[in-house]
Amino acid sequence: MAVTLQFLACLVVAICLLSVVSTTQHHAGQPMDSTSVGGGLQEPEAPEVMFELLWAGLELDVMGQLHIQDEELASTHPGRRLRLLLQHHVPSDLEGAEQRLQQLQDLRKGPPLSTWDFEHLLLTALSCIYRLHAASEAEERGRWAQVFTLLAQETLWDLCKGFCPQDQPPSLGPWASVLDPFP
């Protein structure tokens, strides 16, 4: 029960953060057309649409792919777009998630992430929650939890750019002390 509540709380946080990115303006010099994301994907969905899609729930299949549980929502244009993002732009294994994390950490000193990069950051973090929940071994769960925590930290870093004191990372509070830093 506690795991389910924690999972829902994390999902709500991810959705709220996704709402923030969906309503912010695009950063200059970064294209937002479908060519930058890979055929057919357009601007991020409105926050209420993404909320509805994610609220319907995702499921992790045996092949490690996330799918929208509600078939009717999955068949809509936003549902198909989310499916493409989950299948082609969100890492489906630990190595891919760790690689994405490293890429984001390398961008920490630069300008805020583009809308696309921020959306992918949030969806990768959400994917980590599902994969952590499905992991059978303690070591694997620990690694997924560690990657999720560090992705949450990167989310705070990006949201804090231009607002937080220089070189002062935002804190995850008690979460930060749960895990050792990722190598």
Side-chain angles (χ1 to χ4, degrees):
M1 179 70 170
V3 172
T4 302
L5 291 176
Q6 288 174 338
F7 172 75
L8 289 175
C10 292
L11 179 61
V12 169
V13 168
I15 291 168
C16 290
L17 291 174
L18 195 54
S19 297
V20 170
V21 76
S22 295
T23 58
T24 58
Q25 291 203 347
H26 175 65
H27 301 288
Q30 296 169 335
M32 282 194 56
D33 60 11
S34 61
T35 59
S36 65
V37 207
L41 300 177
Q42 297 159 356
E43 290 189 23
E45 299 299 334
E48 62 275 5
V49 173
M50 189 61 80
F51 178 82
E52 186 175 355
L53 290 169
L54 294 175
W55 191 256
L58 300 175
E59 60 186 355
L60 191 62
D61 69 17
V62 294
M63 300 300 292
Q65 291 293 317
L66 284 167
H67 301 279
I68 301 170
Q69 287 181 341
D70 184 315
E71 290 181 23
E72 186 176 335
L73 284 174
S75 69
T76 65
H77 176 72
R80 290 188 308 271
R81 180 187 175 278
L82 180 58
R83 186 188 74 233
L84 286 172
L85 281 171
L86 292 171
Q87 289 177 350
H88 300 290
H89 298 282
V90 174
S92 61
D93 59 13
L94 266 168
E95 291 73 27
E98 290 167 346
Q99 227 175 12
R100 174 71 51 86
L101 174 62
Q102 184 60 52
Q103 292 167 350
L104 293 164
Q105 289 172 332
D106 292 344
L107 296 173
R108 186 182 291 167
K109 296 286 185 196
L113 295 174
S114 69
T115 304
W116 293 113
D117 288 335
F118 194 80
E119 181 179 54
H120 294 165
L121 164 62
L122 294 176
L123 289 174
T124 300
L126 183 62
S127 172
C128 284
I129 295 169
Y130 277 91
R131 293 168 200 294
L132 185 155
H133 186 67
S136 58
E137 297 178 19
E139 182 180 338
E140 183 182 11
R141 281 193 307 274
R143 287 182 64 199
W144 278 116
Q146 191 173 48
V147 171
F148 170 75
T149 301
L150 293 169
L151 286 167
Q153 183 72 49
E154 289 307 310
T155 302
L156 290 175
W157 267 105
D158 195 66
L159 290 173
C160 193
K161 286 179 180 175
F163 299 104
C164 296
Q166 194 70 11
D167 296 327
Q168 289 254 317
S171 174
L172 284 175
W175 282 32
S177 63
V178 172
L179 301 169
D180 294 328
F182 182 68

